[in-house]
Amino acid sequence: DAGVTQSPTHLIKTRGQQVTLRCSPKSGHDTVSWYQQALGQGPQFIFQYYEEEERQRGNFPDRFSGHQFPNYSSELNVNALLLGDSALYLCASTLGAGGPYEQYFGPGTRLTVT
Amino acid sequence: QKEVEQDPGPLSVPEGAIVSLNCTYSNSAFQYFMWYRQYSRKGPELLMYTYSSGNKEDGRFTAQVDKSSKYISLFIRDSQPSDSATYLCAMTDFLYNQGGKLIFGQGTELSVKP
């Protein structure tokens, strides 16, 4: 049973560019959340997708957007990249009706903005 | 002031020691309290969760929640070198079927020396 998978593993971008990160949830899960983890910090909630719609959003600017596909996979898009966007981006999946503790995290995508 | 405060450490202990990790929080609406372990360059993995106040034990790990003091703890008995990782506390005011964004502490880096 595959867990949460994310691609790519690493990414280097230049300031001002745009980036798309991808996530496939654990088998049977229908809800995907995205988190940003800066070096030495805990993950910060970006947003959550359920039934192809954004259900909750954290305190992130509109440069951060997402999408969920009918197969429950998800993308995170970041426009006009800033140096401060350099971080580990984590995807977590769960069942929409499940408990908050049932969130399974992927290995993350490490984004470096130069 | 952050919603969740966690001493970042680093914490270094000898093998076999009892480890105490702690978090404080400010939002009295939090109901679910989780502890995650994160190895270097990996995503967080759930260790334990507790609902509301009380204790929960799982093998060498014990989680405690004191809602009156807004304070949670994780105890690790007979610590092993394989326990060396960053430990993250997380909590949420989860509403059933309305998602559950996790609010994380900064993480405490633990090193268990043989």
Side-chain angles (χ1 to χ4, degrees), chain B residues 14-54:
Chain B
E15 183 175 354
I18 297 175
V19 176
S20 173
L21 304 168
N22 313 293
C23 288
T24 59
Y25 63 95
S26 57
N27 188 345
S28 58
F30 288 148
Q31 302 174 57
Y32 288 88
F33 304 89
M34 278 72 72
W35 285 96
Y36 284 83
R37 178 173 61 195
Q38 186 175 26
Y39 291 113
S40 180
R41 301 185 179 281
K42 302 284 188 183
E45 58 174 329
L46 179 68
L47 277 176
M48 300 180 70
Y49 77 91
T50 309
Y51 173 70
S52 194
S53 283

Side-chain angles (χ1 to χ4, degrees), chain A residues 46-59:
Chain A
I46 302 175
F47 42 54
Q48 183 180 82
Y49 277 84
Y50 172 67
E51 293 188 340
E52 301 180 49
E53 293 206 355
E54 185 182 287
R55 179 158 72 171
Q56 269 195 311
R57 187 177 183 93
N59 189 25

Side-chain angles (χ1 to χ4, degrees), chain A:
Chain A
D1 175 25
V4 179
T5 59
Q6 293 186 244
S7 63
T9 305
H10 296 93
L11 205 51
I12 299 175
K13 289 288 188 177
T14 305
R15 275 179 301 176
Q17 285 188 317
Q18 178 265 343
V19 68
T20 297
L21 311 181
R22 296 175 176 82
C23 171
S24 290
K26 180 179 169 63
S27 177
H29 286 180
D30 58 5
T31 302
V32 172
S33 300
W34 287 92
Y35 292 81
Q36 179 195 64
Q37 186 176 24
L39 195 62
Q41 301 295 316
Q44 279 196 291
F45 178 78
I46 302 175
F47 42 54
Q48 183 180 82
Y49 277 84
Y50 172 67
E51 293 188 340
E52 301 180 49
E53 293 206 355
E54 185 182 287
R55 179 158 72 171
Q56 269 195 311
R57 187 177 183 93
N59 189 25
F60 278 80
D62 292 344
R63 298 187 297 110
F64 290 77
S65 63
H67 188 77
Q68 185 179 36
F69 299 95
N71 67 353
Y72 308 124
S73 66
S74 177
E75 287 182 349
L76 164 66
N77 300 293
V78 187
N79 294 323
L81 284 167
L82 303 174
L83 294 180
D85 294 332
S86 296
L88 180 69
Y89 288 84
L90 295 162
C91 170
S93 75
T94 187
L95 274 172
Y101 45 84
E102 293 172 319
Q103 293 198 35
Y104 291 82
F105 283 83
T109 292
R110 185 160 298 281
L111 172 65
T112 301
V113 182
T114 62

Side-chain angles (χ1 to χ4, degrees), chain B residues 43-72:
Chain B
E45 58 174 329
L46 179 68
L47 277 176
M48 300 180 70
Y49 77 91
T50 309
Y51 173 70
S52 194
S53 283
N55 295 356
K56 190 171 186 177
E57 188 174 319
D58 184 4
R60 298 185 295 111
F61 298 87
T62 299
Q64 291 185 349
V65 174
D66 182 349
K67 290 193 73 178
S68 63
S69 301
K70 296 189 178 68
Y71 187 87
I72 71 171

